[in-house]
Amino acid sequence: MLSLGVAIGAWLSSDGQNFAIIGDSSGAKLRAAFACVAANRVGSLLCEHLSHIDQIQPDSAVEAYDAYLELANLKSALPLESLPPSFKRTLSHLDAAIACRLAPNPRPLRILRLACTPIHNFSLFCSIHPQSPNHTMNRFPLHIFEHEDGVQELVAQPMIDVFDDFVVALTLENHESVIRFASNAAFLGPGSVSLPRKALDIFPKFRDNDKLPTNFSLVMRFAHVCDDGRIHPPDAGSPPPSSEAAKELLPMDKKHLYDWGQTLLSSSTSLRSMAEEETKSSSTSSSSSSWWKIVGGGFDSASQQPPPSGNGFR
């Protein structure tokens, strides 16, 4: 979302005649909503007059999301409170990145331990999808551990490093999804994180209390990863200094922010190239696709047709 917002902001601010078209030829309105949020919240850092339809600059990603719902007439279909918690977490991370610009946690984290409440009559497996350089998927079983007081929990010791966005998914043996937790290592830290049921994405089949108890929780323990690959124990105080600079989420300097946006636009895998493919595919897509035109003054129009050609970023 950060990259998309910066690219749109750089495009709009480079020429007063430029506009941006945001849409999804598959008709997935939620993805289009989050893209519009990125344009509003991040793009406005470069294009000062970029705002939503009523010309008031949104103060939060939630406000920008609500503005999109109002414009798209989707307030009853996609209210934020009906979305899984991970979506709300993404919006809060976007606001945090804009506010602090530097990652609260600049280091990679290693998942040392994972534990959850047992689900009766089901064996659980865990998959972790880290956005790391090798970008591998790991799947392993959770084993029952019984404490001295007789309380049981399902545990695993993944020892997997996470760098940026990552997803922890609990599945059945047949790969059917049960629970998901999505977050970003930049907004976590060493130590234990306890996640109650309400903080997890629960798949529809398991939302009944008879399948997933109300006291269900997922607990993960993290440690910082040092430059040499070793871990720094969570209870051992501050880790040694890193040879790398603090992790910058968004440049504070407007020129650097603009240059980053231009780099994104000109790169061989730029959003512009992907948008051209999206536009081509839109000619055969269903009429349920919605395209949102964004100009320097805000959302300009909504259409059920593919975007026009011209001086636009699609």
Side-chain angles (χ1 to χ4, degrees), residues 201-221:
D201 302 346
I202 304 172
F203 285 79
K205 182 178 176 180
F206 297 89
R207 289 174 185 166
D208 294 338
N209 292 337
D210 60 339
K211 292 185 177 179
L212 192 70
T214 55
N215 65 343
F216 183 91
S217 66
L218 174 68
V219 180
M220 290 184 289
R221 185 165 175 80

Side-chain angles (χ1 to χ4, degrees), residues 57-99:
Q57 180 63 38
D59 293 324
S60 70
V62 171
E63 285 188 15
Y65 180 79
D66 287 341
Y68 168 84
L69 294 186
E70 185 75 34
L71 178 67
N73 195 27
L74 291 171
K75 295 196 73 172
S76 60
L78 291 175
L80 189 59
E81 57 269 19
S82 71
L83 301 182
S86 290
F87 288 89
K88 306 169 195 175
R89 193 175 299 115
T90 297
L91 295 180
S92 67
H93 288 172
L94 185 66
D95 286 335
I98 293 172

Side-chain angles (χ1 to χ4, degrees), residues 11 14 39 46 66 68 138 154 177 181 184 227 232 243 264 305 309:
W11 174 254
S14 62
L46 286 168
D66 287 341
Y68 168 84
N138 307 272
L154 295 175
S177 297
F181 171 71
N184 189 299
D227 291 348
H232 186 78
S243 60
L264 290 170
Q305 301 299 322
S309 60

Side-chain angles (χ1 to χ4, degrees), residues 245-294:
K247 183 177 180 180
E248 190 174 56
L249 299 174
L250 282 171
M252 288 292 294
D253 182 75
K254 192 171 182 178
K255 182 180 184 305
H256 291 163
L257 194 63
Y258 177 81
D259 290 343
W260 179 28
Q262 290 298 320
T263 299
L264 290 170
L265 290 170
S266 61
S267 67
S268 59
T269 57
S270 69
L271 293 169
R272 186 185 305 181
S273 298
M274 289 188 286
E276 290 172 355
E277 293 301 317
E278 185 81 1
T279 305
K280 291 176 184 176
S281 66
S282 69
S283 61
T284 58
S285 66
S286 68
S287 61
S288 63
S289 303
S290 294
W291 298 88
W292 307 92
K293 184 177 179 182
I294 299 181

Side-chain angles (χ1 to χ4, degrees), residues 10-33:
W11 174 254
L12 294 177
S13 62
S14 62
D15 190 318
Q17 299 301 310
N18 285 355
F19 61 87
I21 295 289
I22 292 178
D24 191 323
S25 61
S26 70
K29 295 180 174 60
L30 188 57
R31 292 196 298 187

